[in-house]
Amino acid sequence: MKFGKRLKQQIQETLPGWGDKFLSYKELKKLVKLISSYAPQMMSGSLEYGKAEAEFVYLLNNEIDKFNAFFMEQEEDFIIRHKELQQRIGRVIVTWGPNGSQPSETDCKEELAKIRKDIVDFHGEMVLLINYSNINYTGLAKILKKYDKRTGGLLRSPYIQKVLQQPFFTTDLISKLVKECESTIDSVFPPPCDVEKGLVLGSGVAGEGIFRNTVAALLTMQEIRKGSSTYGRFSLPPLNLPDQSDVIQSQSLQLNSPIAIP
């Protein structure tokens, strides 16, 4: 699948409010085409060529600013939500757990089931944010490659070095929170209150939507990494996240097949 179509599909499948935060790939592609049409008349190093490249870089910088602002806002929100979920678990155990102030197996199960649903949704949103980082980086690398190829420029290598230092590309913290969510589910559920799988998520439409989007995001990240037979300096690092089957198991959902990515 061509990147433009993959990006469009991702925008359609992402969470509400995220659609306009992705790379404006179509607009950048149009600009590359326009600049390349002038390339034969413009010598590299000429004033006209310099102005055209400056405009292209200006738009790329605006895109990066957009990515960083959105990514850091989401990252900050995820840190707060992660802490709140841990505090909720603690309160339930202290109150309704076997050694709590008001021991109640029923109340404990019900409250932990609600928290587990929130953790699973939270986990899915973080996977989507990592996918957001991956697909925007891939888009930048592709549009820069297209620019160099069509104009004879040498912009890709130095610009990618700049991209690698940007907040939106640094997903270590989010990946750590994803792993901590998985560890929490493994360690807290079912102990100490033996939460039954049937109580975990119920049939909430929101949960199913995040689940579908999460699986689609994982598939996309795998596809992006399989796009080249070799690992180069512009390649994304190995994917250190659960595969599709692990997500299905951890989220305990029985749904129709996720949206396929050819």
Side-chain angles (χ1 to χ4, degrees), residues 31-251:
L31 182 57
V32 169
K33 185 177 180 180
L34 179 63
I35 294 174
S36 65
S37 69
Y38 296 146
Q41 290 80 38
M42 295 188 301
M43 294 179 59
S44 180
S46 69
L47 181 61
E48 292 82 2
Y49 185 92
K51 287 181 178 179
E53 185 167 281
E55 181 182 359
F56 181 68
V57 171
Y58 176 78
L59 292 178
L60 288 178
N61 289 341
N62 285 344
E63 292 295 292
I64 287 180
D65 289 343
K66 177 177 69 177
F67 302 157
N68 286 337
F70 177 71
F71 186 89
M72 289 189 292
E73 180 182 3
Q74 294 298 312
E75 187 176 60
E76 182 179 351
D77 178 61
F78 289 162
I79 292 170
I80 294 171
R81 287 169 62 186
H82 179 262
K83 184 177 181 180
E84 290 174 345
L85 286 167
Q86 298 301 315
Q87 292 173 341
R88 285 173 62 190
I89 292 171
R91 286 196 296 268
V92 169
I93 293 174
V94 168
T95 305
W96 292 298
N99 300 315
S101 58
Q102 304 173 44
S104 171
E105 183 178 0
T106 300
D107 289 340
C108 188
K109 281 185 178 181
E110 290 179 355
E111 291 303 313
L112 283 182
K114 294 176 184 177
I115 294 172
R116 190 184 192 281
K117 178 188 182 304
D118 290 342
I119 290 176
V120 170
D121 287 351
F122 178 49
H123 176 278
E125 289 180 45
M126 289 192 291
V127 171
L128 290 175
L129 187 63
I130 294 173
N131 179 59
Y132 170 85
S133 170
N134 285 189
I135 202 162
N136 283 311
Y137 168 80
T138 301
L140 286 171
K142 286 186 176 294
I143 201 68
L144 284 163
K145 180 180 180 181
K146 192 179 294 290
Y147 177 86
D148 282 3
K149 182 179 180 180
R150 294 194 175 182
T151 67
L154 297 172
L155 186 59
R156 185 188 188 196
S157 183
Y159 200 87
I160 285 294
Q161 294 306 311
K162 172 184 175 179
V163 172
L164 297 179
Q165 306 302 316
Q166 300 303 312
F168 88 90
F169 184 78
T170 308
T171 60
D172 292 350
L173 176 58
I174 300 299
S175 296
K176 179 174 179 287
L177 292 179
V178 167
K179 295 297 183 183
E180 288 181 6
C181 279
E182 293 165 2
S183 296
T184 297
I185 291 175
D186 290 341
S187 61
V188 178
F189 308 101
C193 298
D194 193 27
V195 180
E196 298 175 3
K197 286 186 177 180
L199 294 175
V200 172
L201 289 180
S203 58
V205 174
E208 291 185 5
I210 291 176
F211 170 77
R212 291 180 185 278
N213 291 343
T214 302
V215 173
L218 286 168
L219 288 169
T220 296
M221 286 188 274
Q222 291 167 356
E223 287 294 321
I224 287 173
R225 283 163 173 75
K226 289 191 298 184
S228 174
S229 59
T230 59
Y231 185 85
R233 55 181 173 154
F234 300 119
S235 303
L236 285 163
L239 186 60
N240 187 27
L241 285 172
D243 62 26
Q244 179 184 348
S245 60
D246 290 336
V247 171
I248 294 172
Q249 183 178 3
S250 70
Q251 300 203 8

